[in-house]
Amino acid sequence: MNMRNAEGYFDPTASIALHNADREARAKAYRPLICIASPYAGDVERNTARARAYCRFAVDRGCIPLAPHLIFPQFLNDGDEAERALGLWFARILLTKCDELWVFGETISPGMAAEIAKANRRGIPTRFFTEDCEEVRR
């Protein structure tokens, strides 16, 4: 941080003010990374649309959503047991990078249960929501 003014005289006031303003701007720009968990298998088309809506819900609340079940089926075969297991493992790895886990819907799939258990072991806060994005206590 340069503490001198345009003429070269020591003048910390402006430098400190600019530094503080920059720090405040960065703090306001922070968005927590949220892992989105919701059912995928079964009615894949409906569940994919719902997962997209849950991601939008997170964005509208100032968060960065991460929905592994929307990403990995793009290139991993969910019908192949080995590739499905690999995708679920990838999802649990990504979960450890997140600030929170948000679980949507009343149905908890085995993959979602594994994510909830991992979050609990890692001390990652977990929040539960209905399909209509209303938070519920568990």
Side-chain angles (χ1 to χ4, degrees), residues 55-119:
C55 288
R56 182 71 230 187
F57 172 76
V59 169
D60 290 344
R61 272 133 197 89
C63 302
I64 301 170
L66 174 63
H69 57 303
L70 291 181
I71 300 168
F72 297 128
Q74 301 296 314
F75 54 87
L76 293 175
N77 181 358
D78 197 55
D80 179 292
E81 192 57 40
E83 289 199 7
R84 177 172 171 71
L86 187 61
L88 291 170
W89 181 62
F90 288 170
R92 289 190 305 274
I93 296 297
L94 289 175
L95 169 63
T96 66
K97 312 303 181 203
C98 293
D99 296 292
E100 292 183 356
L101 171 64
W102 290 6
V103 180
F104 290 88
E106 286 73 38
T107 302
I108 304 294
S109 70
M112 293 167 64
E115 289 175 322
I116 294 166
K118 178 83 167 194

Side-chain angles (χ1 to χ4, degrees):
M1 178 167 34
N2 186 359
M3 298 274 196
R4 299 200 178 273
N5 65 17
E7 287 108 20
Y9 295 103
F10 184 71
D11 183 13
T13 305
S15 296
I16 292 171
L18 288 172
H19 175 75
N20 289 341
D22 183 53
R23 185 177 51 199
E24 286 177 22
R26 277 191 240 159
K28 288 179 184 175
Y30 175 76
R31 289 177 172 250
L33 183 61
I34 304 299
C35 186
I36 304 294
S38 64
Y40 178 76
D43 189 347
V44 173
E45 189 173 322
R46 178 180 181 272
N47 291 340
T48 298
R50 287 194 146 316
R52 286 184 181 134
Y54 302 147
C55 288
R56 182 71 230 187
F57 172 76
V59 169
D60 290 344
R61 272 133 197 89
C63 302
I64 301 170
L66 174 63
H69 57 303
L70 291 181
I71 300 168
F72 297 128
Q74 301 296 314
F75 54 87
L76 293 175
N77 181 358
D78 197 55
D80 179 292
E81 192 57 40
E83 289 199 7
R84 177 172 171 71
L86 187 61
L88 291 170
W89 181 62
F90 288 170
R92 289 190 305 274
I93 296 297
L94 289 175
L95 169 63
T96 66
K97 312 303 181 203
C98 293
D99 296 292
E100 292 183 356
L101 171 64
W102 290 6
V103 180
F104 290 88
E106 286 73 38
T107 302
I108 304 294
S109 70
M112 293 167 64
E115 289 175 322
I116 294 166
K118 178 83 167 194
N120 287 339
R121 284 192 307 274
R122 288 292 188 110
I124 299 169
T126 302
R127 296 170 62 185
F128 294 87
F129 298 85
T130 66
E131 286 186 352
D132 297 322
C133 300
E134 294 175 12
E135 190 164 8
V136 294
R137 300 285 173 211
R138 291 227 180 178

